[in-house]
Amino acid sequence: MTLRHAVLAALLDDELSGYQLTKSFDVGVANFWHALPQQLYAELTRLEKDGLVTGREVVQDTRPNKRLFRVTEAGLAALEEFVADAAKPSFVRDDLMVMVQAADHVDVDAVVARFTERAAFAEAKAELFRAMLRKMRGGREEGEFLRHGERIGPYLTCLRGLAFEEGNRDWCLRGAEILRERKRARV
């Protein structure tokens, strides 16, 4: 997947400014695609040049003017083509995994501290996902929403983000406990 496809997917529901797109990425898309704000603005420019999004200027009285972007028919076709291609597996690049790999040769307490930090971070993100899911459901039960919800894609990606963060939290807590137990056994 390219950033291009992630931006197109993020623009499917609403016409967004570059600023709103960066906020949307931070909240909803970041669980499966990371991009810096400057990357998003540059991609919007390329997408508009390629005719995959269209932008319009909005004049504001008390703030600088802004551009709002919407996916074009060509952009939808590009997403259709992307979806038709075989999905490639993703790869994990994670500093914590490198630290854990070295756990037998470094300060165990430092690795436990990193596990503990990451578990807290994962739980905080999981809670954000839970709140987003509740908001998307709009008071409906999950089963009803899954059968009849207007847009299911964002809900499913949010569910994946939640499962990832809960799994990450659980793995970190277990890893920290294992390292603590091994340290106590050596004393």
Side-chain angles (χ1 to χ4, degrees):
M1 178 168 74
T2 66
L3 178 58
R4 166 173 294 230
H5 299 109
V7 170
L8 288 171
L11 289 171
L12 286 174
D13 289 328
D14 292 313
E15 186 178 46
L16 300 175
S17 69
Y19 176 78
Q20 291 167 318
L21 178 66
T22 61
K23 293 302 172 201
S24 171
F25 254 68
D26 283 347
V27 173
V29 180
N31 78 74
F32 61 91
W33 193 269
H34 174 74
L36 299 171
Q38 57 267 35
Q39 292 173 302
L40 294 172
Y41 282 101
E43 192 59 41
L44 280 171
T45 300
R46 284 189 289 274
L47 287 167
E48 187 172 27
K49 180 178 166 266
D50 294 344
L52 301 179
V53 300
T54 184
R56 69 179 177 92
E57 190 85 11
V58 175
V59 178
Q60 301 185 110
D61 292 330
T62 59
R63 298 162 75 182
N65 294 346
K66 66 180 178 180
R67 288 188 59 73
L68 295 178
F69 296 91
R70 175 179 299 284
V71 176
T72 64
E73 289 299 319
L76 287 172
L79 277 173
E80 282 285 343
E81 186 177 313
F82 171 72
V83 169
D85 286 344
K88 296 173 182 84
S90 59
F91 301 95
V92 175
R93 291 175 50 179
D94 189 335
D95 292 348
L96 180 59
M97 298 293 278
V98 175
M99 294 174 193
V100 173
Q101 180 73 17
D104 298 309
H105 302 282
V106 297
D107 177 14
V108 171
D109 292 332
V111 178
V112 168
R114 299 302 76 77
F115 266 138
T116 304
E117 290 165 0
R118 182 69 66 87
F121 179 78
E123 178 53 33
K125 282 191 73 177
E127 186 49 45
L128 286 174
F129 285 125
R130 288 184 203 103
M132 288 171 56
L133 291 166
R134 284 189 301 271
K135 183 178 178 184
M136 283 186 231
R137 285 192 308 266
R140 292 185 273 183
E141 292 296 319
E142 185 173 69
E144 178 190 342
F145 180 82
L146 292 174
R147 283 187 301 282
H148 305 291
E150 296 78 38
R151 285 263 293 128
I152 200 65
Y155 195 86
L156 291 174
T157 60
C158 195
L159 278 177
R160 175 62 182 116
L162 176 61
F164 175 81
E165 294 302 340
E166 288 176 339
N168 202 21
R169 176 205 59 212
D170 294 348
W171 175 75
C172 287
L173 293 172
R174 183 168 185 228
E177 186 55 35
I178 289 168
L179 291 179
R180 283 188 203 104
E181 287 176 12
R182 287 176 59 89
K183 184 178 177 181
R184 282 191 296 268
R186 289 185 183 148
V187 176

